[in-house]
């Protein structure tokens, strides 16, 4: 299926290549560059590009193009979804997925890719399993690798005399040695224990998990996607919710999570660990969780009347035909917030090309305008209902140019803590199969997703 | 493909050189490359040294640097000899990196790569399944044609491996081998066929992938596995699901009749089908009308539905296309919600999903209409997403929603993204042409746009208006006049050309303006674009024909200009027009019709979606996305008029059950902790049973699965009981089947026979209560065992199955208490997988070798007894055991053990029974039935069965009396883990040939010649091991054969007499551990005297 993978950075350098079948020359990427040129913007590069002998399927994330080369018919989503999974895995391994990080960890990256695909067909994509096969770089190991200047500390190595002279006065050689010796056990990237998870019937969970503090946290995060009309009426609004979990429980716990109002969730997708039949019959989430962080569930509430819009934006943006000045005024205020404060408000807007500069004064927060990209952004912070934040001022327009057809749309970001705007509430979490009592926590949050106000 | 990749390789070589050149000397010329080579050589020299050092850390460091080079695309091939030496490194990380290197460069350095092969071959026999798997992976990834036979052999072996993980890798290797050497196809198909029967969820996805790659046309291979695949689907890993669903879609289109004919009645027919299932099954003839869906068709549709909730977009899309292509139209609606959900995903996913929705929305607007607003465009969407959304919005437009849409379009038209604005205008045009109610308002809206400031918008509007006006040749003089005015300001050629064409076409309606326009155009002719020039010529010609008085001179002027134009197209056109319209002596005939030619009624253009013609591609495929046939695209066939015989699937279900269901029951008891496993089995069970007895299918089966699932979480014992009872029903059938099999030796006939037996059995088995059937099964099998043991030699085929059939109930009941104590599947990976595949293996072995290799009766039964419990420690109860070497009646995989209990006290000992068992994982034990009382000095012999899993591990359990419990152990001598088989010398040699290499162990024996007489050897060997003698044609060769009780692996013993008083003892077996233990035990026996 997937023949080869090329990683291309924003300046068009191929900085990593991996082949699963015969080697495909990197010159095949020329077709990609062509398409990239045509598309002008990175995100307009078509995800599927046919070339005479191959097909290039790509995803663009973190300013990197992940280009997969395939040769025969394959469901394109299969490849795309897999590439996204690769990026997720890198992120999971290294914290961030960027060119320098990938270059620094090229060996781990290679090892991981080797495990993820066999002959182009996905083999192990569960992060729990991968982490057993290939250990992610830990801080300690990175430190050791940096100090020793070598990947993988060697015990013999320590006994040589270089530690003492180089180990600066602050760090005693003894301590260093102790650190090394405990790190030594984990100095290799490759797990010496062969993973059992892949073979077990619970392939997403690694075995032999042990924690002293057993904790399970669930974050219910909802994002509001909305388009608000010029007049302030809602054109479309929907809620995209996810439940992200961080489960650190010893052994093989079997959890059930129930909701106060499960009827809300009529369109859901699950992590493979969730027992679907149980959900169908009882509307209860029953699962053996993977170890660590994972997305348990995502859901979609689209019935428009259920979606409360927590903010409003008052705007008056006008360009005058005759003068080279335009007026700009925006006020943000809370609407239906269930008594919670709106935080982290960020207003951004792509101004028309004709706008040369803006001179604005915010009543709170800071604002910036980039005259090159014409991007206005205003970091408002918290909304105080007593004193609504506003941004006022003038725009200077290109002299002689016709006035722009359209007023810019305003994109809004905000957060509301401790509120799930759909009203979803977790009822209880129970654990079976293990004896100890875990610490449980649940957090709600509402955020703006793609929240646009047309002006 | 091969030549193509070769070409690329060459380029790659060149590219690499160039790059190296850049790096070293910044010169790209070959001479520069030379300079760099020396420097590169030096650099690699230290890597070589590091690789040769004896410190692992140095080697590792070197390997990491080399992998770094590979990742950057630099050539590291000259390090091959140094790297390949480390292939056998003990350090697992070095090993892995060497593998990476090997896979990358082996193709280029084939000869050297061969050095590494033996390492992999050795690793292929490693007891650790993961090592076997990774060895197979690398071995098959080395694209060296010479090793094709080795690969073939390795794949064959691995496909019969105990571990499903290894078998999964075997499935992957099939594709690799096929791409390396397509000539192996036939052999590979055999392996695929074998693996398709595999019931492990781990294997299913990979083998279907291999099937799709190697032999997608062999749809007949799927028949017997169809139901299994449907039932397993939910538990297969997500990538496998995608592949299986696509394959099943194709399958369904060839095997079922179209559900679309009677769309309205689909709901009804569904009900009919549920109600009438029993009749349907019994009265084999399916009713032709009204349309009733094939139960298998329904099964597929039902079992894929839960996958719409998958987190994996590819799975959701796969299910969506399955519903689109094979479900009744009324049911396809369920997919729209899930597809719309995917729109929240990444840009690339959106792109593909929107494309597919676009195709669907053309054919069935209703499906996506409720989600209209989800397709509204956001200003932050990338342009390609915007245009796709627009496309869908247009497809969804109808009388009811068009006004809302047009309002939305107004916003889009003013978008800063002009490309998108232009697309919107086209969209408006399409709306206007398809929905007549709004065409006037659309037109006026478009005319308004003509006064827009943006040229692209105006131009696009003009083009669209032109098309609209052409479609509606009513009076639109005003608009045309307005557009004529625009000619002064518009510069976009397409728009200008469009206006000119419009005026020309309607020149009779605007008699005053047209000549004036021509006059203006004549002035600017030379500076116009070619496109515009052509239209000026057209306009001129048309005016000349209609209004020659005013325009004759003008036209001639233009024709003259055109005659000397730089563009040959325009010169051509000029000549043509001149000949046609200007009357002269030569052109008489045609010029009469000039007016008809130029001013003919022109058909209105059809404004349609670019996605109109895409529906002949299967949705969700690459070909659909590209709208061209991609390499390897498999057409979706049309529904057959008459459904092919549905019984092809039925038949094999019985076959499957005999192989599968009994072990399924076993899997449960063997791994009591594996709730998930058993759960999936359970689901499978219930849903499969529903497919047989449709009376409860539909919601019934789901409830059943539900309840069993619930119980698995809360009270495992309940589930256990249920599963046991369920397998009971089956075991009965199996038992019957085995009777039939016995009657018919021909295996071909057997299948038909099964079908019959099944159809008669299923109803009765299903209807009788679980208890009844279980007792039935037990008694039946008990009675069976009688004749069996008498005719062991002949009835090898029937017996194991039937014996197994009794097993599930017994053991699962026994193990109930264990169920809770072991709560994690942490332990031992091997046993986890073994049950299923053990069954497979056995099945395979049976099918492949049954004709020649039969279990025979033991040659000799040593009466040697072992002490189980000494009377001193047993407070007067003494127990001895010995191995009767009879096939065990409790289970095919068990070794029978006879225990003689003696009461040495002067009181009665009451209630002697087996207490708590402490068995190693995987082991099974069937306890003897409790002895109520044992008189003083009395003795009683009881028999029990122990499945030792082909290991010499001790089975510990407690022997309890009324008052006491004594811990006792049974450790089997390795020779007792075998069952003798009878086979011909030829077969022996054949089998031996397949078990060479690591499967062979041998030792040299020294003894006196009289010890080497045939009878002595026979006596000695059978004393130690339960093997059967194989007739030998050569005097110096003595052969013995057996198979292991548990897995049925062959164990071949050869004693080859040499000159002098030595002999070679050779043991060939897959079970290398047992083989070597046996060797160790035989050696002293043979060499003593």
């Amino acid at each position: 299926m997937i023949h080869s993978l090329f990683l291309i950075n924003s300046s068009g350098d191929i900085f990593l290549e991996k082949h699963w079948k015969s080697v495909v020359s990197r010159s095949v990427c020329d077709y990609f560059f062509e398409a990239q040129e045509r598309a002008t913007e990175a995100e307009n590069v078509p995800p599927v590009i046919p070339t005479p002998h191959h097909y290039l399927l790509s995803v663009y994330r973190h300013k990197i193009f992940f280009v997969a080369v395939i040769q025969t018919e394959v469901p394109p989503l299969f490849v795309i979804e897999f590439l996204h999974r690769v990026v997720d895995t890198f992120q999971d391994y290294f914290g961030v997925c960027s060119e320098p990080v990938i270059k620094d960890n090229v060996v781990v990256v290679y090892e991981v890719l080797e495990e993820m695909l066999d002959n182009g067909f996905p083999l192990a994509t569960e992060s729990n399993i991968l982490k057993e096969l290939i250990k992610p770089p830990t801080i300690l190991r990175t430190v050791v690798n940096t100090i020793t200047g070598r990947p993988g500390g060697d015990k013999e190595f320590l006994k040589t005399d270089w530690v003492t002279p180089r180990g600066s006065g602050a760090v005693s050689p003894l301590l260093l040695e102790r650190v090394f010796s405990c790190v030594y056990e984990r100095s290799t990237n490759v797990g010496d224990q062969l993973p059992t998870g892949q073979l077990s019937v619970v392939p997403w969970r690694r075995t032999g998990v042990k924690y002293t503090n057993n904790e399970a946290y669930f974050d219910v995060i909802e994002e509001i996607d909305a388009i608000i009309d010029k007049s302030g009426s809602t054109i479309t609004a929907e809620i995209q919710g996810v439940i992200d979990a961080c489960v650190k429980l010893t052994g093989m716990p079997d959890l059930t999570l129930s909701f106060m109002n499960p009827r809300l969730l009529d369109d859901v997708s699950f992590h493979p660990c969730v027992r679907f039949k149980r959900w169908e019959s009882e509307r209860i989430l029953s699962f053996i969780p993977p170890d660590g962080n994972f997305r348990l569930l995502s859901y979609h509430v689209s019935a428009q009347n259920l979606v409360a819009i927590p903010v409003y934006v008052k705007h008056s943006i006008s360009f005058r035909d005759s003068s080279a000045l335009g007026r700009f005024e925006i006020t943000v205020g809370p609407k239906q917030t269930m008594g919670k404060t709106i935080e982290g408000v960020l207003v951004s807007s792509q101004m028309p090309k004709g706008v040369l500069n803006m001179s604005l004064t915010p009543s709170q927060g800071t604002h910036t305008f980039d005259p090159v990209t014409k991007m206005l952004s205003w970091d408002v912070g918290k909304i105080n209902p007593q004193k609504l934040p506003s941004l006022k001022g003038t725009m200077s327009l290109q002299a002689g140019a016709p006035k722009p057809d359209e007023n810019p749309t305003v994109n809004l970001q905000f957060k509301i803590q401790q509120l799930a705007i759909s009203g979803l509430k977790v009822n209880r979490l129970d654990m079976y199969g293990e004896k100890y009592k875990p610490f449980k926590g649940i957090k709600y949050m509402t955020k703006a997703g793609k929240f646009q106000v047309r002006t | 493909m091969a030549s193509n990749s070769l070409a690329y390789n060459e380029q790659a070589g060149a590219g690499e050189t160039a790059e190296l050149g850049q790096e070293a000397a910044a010169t790209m010329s070959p001479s520069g490359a030379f300079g760099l080579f020396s420097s590169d050589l030096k650099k690699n020299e230290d890597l070589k040294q590091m690789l040769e050092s004896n410190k692992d850390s140095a080697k590792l460091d070197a390997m990491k640097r080399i992998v770094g080079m590979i990742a950057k695309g630099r050539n590291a091939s000259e390090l091959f000899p140094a790297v390949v030496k480390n292939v056998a490194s003990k350090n697992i990380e070095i090993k892995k990196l060497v593998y990476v290197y090997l896979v990358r460069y082996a193709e280029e350095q084939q000869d050297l790569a061969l050095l590494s092969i033996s390492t992999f071959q050795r690793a292929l026999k490693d007891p650790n399944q993961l090592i076997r798997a990774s060895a197979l992976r690398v071995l098959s990834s080395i694209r060296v044609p010479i090793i094709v036979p080795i690969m073939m052999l390795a794949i064959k072996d691995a496909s019969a491996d105990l571990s499903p993980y290894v078998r999964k890798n075997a499935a992957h290797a099939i594709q690799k081998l096929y791409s390396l050497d397509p000539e192996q196809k036939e052999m590979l198909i055999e392996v695929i066929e074998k693996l398709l029967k595999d019931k492990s969820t781990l294997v299913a996805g990979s083998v279907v992938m291999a099937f799709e790659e190697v032999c997608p046309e062999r749809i007949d291979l799927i028949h017997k596995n169809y139901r299994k695949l449907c039932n397993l689907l939910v538990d297969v890993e997500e990538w496998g699901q995608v592949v299986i669903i696509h394959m099943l879609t194709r399958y369904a289109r060839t095997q079922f009749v179209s559900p679309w004919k009677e769309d309205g009645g689909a709901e009804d027919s569904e009900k009919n089908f549920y109600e009438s299932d029993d009749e349907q099954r019994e009265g084999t003839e399916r009713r032709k009308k009204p349309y009733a869906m094939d139960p298998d068709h329904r099964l597929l549709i039902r079992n894929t539905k839960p996958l719409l909730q998958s987190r994996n977009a590819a799975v959701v899309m796969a299910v969506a296309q399955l519903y689109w292509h094979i479900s009744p139209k009324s049911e396809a609606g369920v997919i729209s919600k899930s597809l719309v959900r995917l729109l929240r995903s990444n840009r690339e996913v959106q792109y593909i999903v929107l494309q597919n929705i676009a195709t669907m929305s053309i054919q069935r607007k209703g499906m996506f209409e409720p989600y209209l607003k989800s397709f509204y465009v956001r200003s932050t969407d990338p342009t390609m997403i915007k245009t796709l959304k627009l496309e869908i919005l247009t497809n969804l437009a109808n009388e009811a929603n068009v006004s809302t849409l047009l309002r939305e379009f107004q916003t889009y038209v003013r978008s800063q993204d002009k490309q998108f604005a232009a697309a919107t205008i086209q969209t408006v045009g399409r709306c206007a042409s398809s929905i007549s109610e709004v065409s006037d308002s659309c037109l006026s809206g478009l005319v308004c746009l003509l006064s827009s400031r943006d040229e692209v918008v105006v131009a696009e509007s003009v083009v669209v208006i032109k098309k609209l006006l052409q479609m509606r040749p009513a009076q639109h003089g005003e608009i045309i006049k307005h557009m004529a005015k625009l000619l002064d300001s518009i510069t976009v050629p397409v728009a200008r050309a469009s206006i000119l064409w419009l005026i020309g076409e309607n020149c009779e309606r605007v008699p005053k303006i047209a000549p004036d326009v021509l006059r203006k155009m004549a002035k600017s002719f030379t500076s116009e674009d070619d496109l515009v020039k052509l239209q000026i010529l057209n306009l001129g010609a048309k005016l000349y024909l209609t209004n020659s008085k005013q325009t004759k001179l003008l036209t001639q002027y233009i024709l003259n200009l055109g005659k000397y134009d730089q563009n040959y197209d325009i010169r051509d056109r000029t000549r043509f027009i001149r000949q046609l319209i200007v009357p002269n002596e030569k052109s008489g005939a045609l010029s009469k019709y000039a007016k008809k030619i130029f001013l003919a009624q022109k058909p209105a253009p059809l404004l349609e979606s670019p996605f109109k013609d895409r529906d002949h591609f299967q949705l969700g495929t690459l070909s659909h996305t590209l709208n061209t046939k991609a390499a390897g695209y498999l057409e979706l066939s049309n529904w057959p008029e008459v459904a092919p015989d549905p019984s092809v699937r039925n038949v094999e279900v019985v076959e499957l059950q005999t192989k599968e269901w009994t072990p399924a029951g076993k899997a449960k008891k063997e791994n009591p902790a594996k709730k998930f496993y058993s759960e999936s089995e359970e689901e499978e069970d219930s849903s499969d049973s529903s497919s047989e007895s449709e009376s409860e299918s539909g919601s019934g089966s789901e409830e059943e699965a539900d309840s069993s699932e619930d119980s698995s979480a809360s009270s495992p014992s309940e589930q256990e009981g249920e599963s046991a009872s369920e397998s009971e029903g089956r075991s009965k059938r199996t038992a019957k089947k085995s009777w039939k099999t016995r009657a018919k030796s021909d295996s071909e006939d057997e299948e038909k026979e099964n079908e019959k037996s099944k159809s008669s059995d299923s109803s009765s088995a299903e209807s009788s209560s679980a208890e009844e059937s279980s007792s039935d099964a037990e008694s039946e099998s008990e009675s069976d065992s009688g004749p069996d043991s008498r005719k062991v030699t002949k009835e090898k085929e029937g017996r194991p199955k039937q014996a197994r059939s009794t097993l599930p109930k017994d053991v699962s009941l026994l193990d109930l208490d264990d169920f809770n104590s072991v709560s994690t599947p942490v332990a031992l990976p091997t046993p986890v997988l073994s049950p299923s595949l053990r069954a497979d293996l056995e099945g395979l072995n049976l099918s492949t070798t049954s004709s020649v290799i039969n279990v025979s009766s033991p040659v000799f039964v040593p009466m040697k007894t072992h002490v189980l419990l000494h009377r001193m420690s047993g407070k007067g109860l003494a127990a001895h055991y010995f191995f009767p070497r009879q096939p065990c009646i409790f289970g095919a995989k068990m070794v029978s053990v006879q225990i003689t209990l003696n009461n040495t006290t002067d009181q009665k000992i009451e209630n002697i029974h087996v207490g708590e068992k402490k068995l190693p994982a995987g082991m099974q034990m069937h306890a003897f039935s409790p002895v109520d009382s044992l008189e003083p000095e009395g003795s009683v012999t009881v028999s029990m069965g122990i499945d030792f899993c082909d290991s010499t591990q001790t089975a510990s359990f407690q022997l309890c009396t009324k008052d006491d419990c004594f811990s006792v152990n049974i450790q089997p001598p390795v020779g007792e883990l075998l069952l003798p088989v009878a086979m011909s010398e030829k077969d022996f040699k054949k089998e031996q040939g397949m078990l060479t290499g690591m499967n062979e162990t041998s030792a040299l024996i020294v003894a006196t010649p009289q010890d080497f007489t045939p009878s002595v050897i026979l006596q000695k060997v059978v004393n130690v091991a339960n093997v059967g003698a194989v007739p030998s044609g050569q005097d110096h060769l003595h052969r013995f054969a057996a198979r292991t009780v548990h897995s049925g692996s062959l164990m071949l013993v050869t004693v080859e007499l040499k000159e002098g008083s030595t002999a070679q003892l050779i043991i060939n077996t897959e079970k290398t551990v047992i083989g070597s233990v046996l060797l160790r035990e035989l050696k002293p026996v043979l060499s003593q005297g």
Side-chain angles (χ1 to χ4, degrees), chain B residues 1007-1018:
Chain B
T1008 50
Q1010 58 265 39
D1011 287 331
F1012 285 147
T1013 57
S1015 60
V1016 173
I1017 290 176
L1018 176 71

Side-chain angles (χ1 to χ4, degrees), chain A residues 111 133-136 141 151-153 183-192, chain B residues 60 64 91-94:
Chain A
E111 284 168 338
L133 286 165
I134 313 291
K135 288 178 188 147
R141 270 171 47 220
V183 165
Y184 175 72
E185 309 301 327
R186 294 177 54 88
S187 64
T188 149
N189 292 339
V190 177
D192 43 357
Chain B
L60 190 57
K64 285 186 173 175
N91 182 315
I92 218 164
E93 186 168 18
I94 295 179

Side-chain angles (χ1 to χ4, degrees), chain A residues 1 16-17 20-23 25-28 43-45 47-48 50 53-55 58-60 70-78 80-82 84-85 106-107 110-111 114-115 117-119 121-123 125-126 151 154 156 188-190 194-195 198-199 201 204 223 225-227 235-236 238 240 252 266-272 275-278 281-282 288 304 321 350-352 402-403 405-406 409 411 434 450 452 454, chain B residues 1 4 8-9 11 19 55 57 61 64 67-68 70-73 92-93 96-97 100 104 107 128-130 137 143 165 168-169 172 175-176 202 209 238-239 242-243 246 306 309-314 317 337 341 344 346-352 373-374 376-380 382-384 408 411-412 414-416 418 453 620-623 625-626 630-633 674 676-677 679 702 706 709-710 824-825 829 832-833:
Chain A
M1 281 201 155
L16 188 120
E17 62 178 70
W20 282 274
K21 302 185 185 180
S22 341
V23 178
S25 156
R26 46 167 69 193
S27 61
V28 75
E43 59 172 15
N44 270 328
V45 178
V48 182
H53 302 292
H54 299 88
Y55 304 96
S58 63
V59 304
Y60 179 64
I70 58 168
Q71 233 171 15
T72 51
E73 170 65 51
V74 61
L77 270 185
F78 185 98
I80 285 168
E81 183 79 17
F82 176 79
H84 280 299
R85 205 61 73 79
V106 71
V107 174
Y110 236 66
E111 284 168 338
E114 186 73 29
E115 293 298 336
L117 278 180
D118 180 20
N119 195 36
F121 189 78
L123 194 63
T125 49
E126 283 295 336
D154 190 327
E156 279 179 350
T188 149
N189 292 339
V190 177
L194 295 156
Q198 182 147 21
L199 309 166
V201 284
W204 52 84
E223 294 192 356
D225 287 358
I227 302 178
I235 292 180
T236 157
E238 49 195 30
Q240 300 288 340
M252 197 54 72
D266 68 328
D267 185 13
V268 282
S269 68
F270 299 118
H271 190 275
R275 297 183 178 103
F276 179 73
K277 304 263 176 177
R278 190 98 192 268
S281 59
E282 297 172 62
I288 292 180
Q304 203 165 327
D321 242 340
Q350 174 74 51
M351 302 307 284
K403 83 168 197 167
D405 288 334
E406 191 200 27
T409 42
N411 293 305
E434 294 287 334
K450 296 170 180 167
Q452 293 198 338
R454 291 175 179 166
Chain B
M1 184 214 120
N4 168 32
Y8 270 122
N9 283 340
Q11 285 173 20
E19 209 182 320
K55 273 193 210 159
S57 61
D61 196 12
K64 285 186 173 175
V67 168
I70 296 174
K72 287 195 196 100
I92 218 164
E93 186 168 18
K96 282 205 171 179
L97 294 178
V100 169
R104 170 69 177 76
E107 207 171 4
N128 185 323
Q129 50 178 336
L130 285 149
R137 247 178 90 184
R143 291 167 296 272
Y165 184 65
K168 182 190 178 74
N169 278 283
H172 285 194
Q175 304 169 52
K176 301 184 206 170
L202 213 53
M209 187 68 223
E238 43 196 358
W239 310 108
V242 178
V243 178
H246 273 273
Q309 317 265 342
S310 171
R311 64 169 170 174
N312 188 318
M317 189 66 233
K337 198 199 278 174
R341 190 184 63 231
R344 263 289 294 199
N346 307 78
R347 165 187 86 100
E348 296 85 6
V349 175
Q350 280 186 48
Y351 176 73
I352 306 288
K373 288 193 169 169
S374 303
Y376 279 10
V377 174
R378 290 163 205 281
S379 62
T380 41
T383 309
M384 60 180 183
E408 184 69 16
T411 324
Y412 301 164
R414 285 198 302 270
S415 162
Q416 292 176 29
K418 291 306 165 197
R453 240 170 302 228
T621 59
L622 187 62
S623 306
T625 297
L626 296 169
Y633 173 74
K674 301 294 184 297
F676 262 79
Y677 196 78
E679 192 176 293
E702 251 164 48
D706 277 352
E709 197 168 308
D710 296 345
T824 58
V832 177
L833 351 136

Side-chain angles (χ1 to χ4, degrees), chain B residues 589-868:
Chain B
L590 211 57
S591 58
K592 264 187 266 169
Y593 301 104
K595 192 164 180 178
K596 271 191 184 160
I597 292 170
F598 275 101
L599 292 169
Q601 275 291 322
K602 298 180 179 65
L606 271 176
L607 295 178
E608 32 177 47
S609 162
F611 285 85
K612 187 107 188 153
D613 54 342
R614 287 208 188 177
D615 53 337
H616 59 271
F617 289 113
Q618 187 178 358
L619 289 184
T621 59
L622 187 62
S623 306
H624 174 266
T625 297
L626 296 169
N627 202 15
T628 50
K629 205 167 174 176
Y633 173 74
L634 298 165
E635 291 282 351
L636 208 55
S637 67
N638 277 326
W639 296 103
E641 283 298 313
V642 179
D645 183 16
S647 61
V648 283
R649 290 181 295 275
N650 291 349
V651 175
E652 299 296 331
V653 166
V654 176
E655 174 80 9
L656 274 178
Q657 278 167 356
T658 54
K659 275 192 187 146
E660 269 179 31
W661 292 117
T662 23
K666 211 186 223 174
K668 267 164 232 159
K669 15 131 188 158
E670 281 183 356
N671 308 290
K674 301 294 184 297
K675 276 183 205 153
F676 262 79
Y677 196 78
S678 49
E679 192 176 293
S680 61
E681 292 290 346
E682 187 59 21
E683 271 169 43
E684 203 180 306
D685 269 10
S686 53
S687 45
D688 197 73
S689 72
S690 72
S691 72
E692 294 159 33
S693 62
E694 252 89 29
S695 52
E696 43 164 286
S697 69
S699 59
S701 80
E702 251 164 48
E703 269 160 38
E704 194 181 295
D706 277 352
S707 63
S708 62
E709 197 168 308
D710 296 345
S711 66
S712 79
S714 48
S715 64
S717 58
E718 194 183 313
Q719 180 209 357
E720 209 47 44
E722 208 175 301
S723 72
S725 67
E726 210 160 317
S727 47
E728 235 40 68
R730 237 163 243 126
S731 62
K732 183 183 165 192
R733 236 168 296 148
T734 329
K736 284 204 177 173
K737 188 211 153 186
S738 59
W739 279 109
K740 294 232 162 83
T741 333
R742 219 168 295 153
K744 293 223 171 197
S745 55
D746 193 342
S747 61
E748 300 287 307
D749 289 350
E750 180 185 318
E751 283 175 2
K752 287 171 203 157
E753 200 60 41
N754 291 340
E755 191 189 352
K756 278 179 217 154
S757 74
K758 192 216 161 191
S759 55
S760 60
D761 277 358
S762 59
S763 52
S764 65
E766 223 64 47
S767 61
S768 61
S769 75
E771 289 83 8
E772 262 172 34
S773 62
S774 73
S775 58
D776 272 358
E778 207 181 4
S779 60
E780 201 167 331
S781 57
E782 217 94 63
S783 61
D784 284 351
S785 63
D788 264 342
S789 50
R790 280 197 298 273
K791 320 186 226 169
V792 231
T793 34
K794 288 178 216 158
E795 289 162 12
K796 199 232 141 203
E797 251 184 272
R799 196 182 28 73
K801 284 178 193 163
Q802 166 241 335
R804 229 185 299 149
S805 69
T806 55
L807 196 61
K809 185 209 86 201
D810 300 329
V811 191
S812 58
L813 289 178
L814 281 173
D815 268 31
L816 280 184
D817 33 1
D818 282 356
F819 207 83
N820 285 328
S821 64
V822 195
S823 58
T824 58
V826 180
L828 313 158
T830 342
V832 177
L833 351 136
S834 39
S836 54
L837 81 121
R838 230 180 280 143
D840 287 352
L841 226 174
E842 195 157 271
L844 292 171
N845 274 358
L846 289 183
S847 58
T848 53
T849 60
S850 54
S851 58
V852 283
I853 305 165
N854 289 323
V855 173
S856 59
S857 54
V859 180
F860 167 80
V861 181
M863 294 313 287
K864 187 181 169 196
T865 59
H866 311 261
V867 178
L868 184 65

Side-chain angles (χ1 to χ4, degrees), chain A residues 282-301:
Chain A
E282 297 172 62
R283 299 270 147 179
I284 283 177
L285 292 177
S286 156
F287 55 98
I288 292 180
D291 184 42
N293 295 310
F294 65 102
R295 175 156 296 175
L296 178 64
L297 163 84
S298 52
Y299 58 93
H300 180 112
V301 180

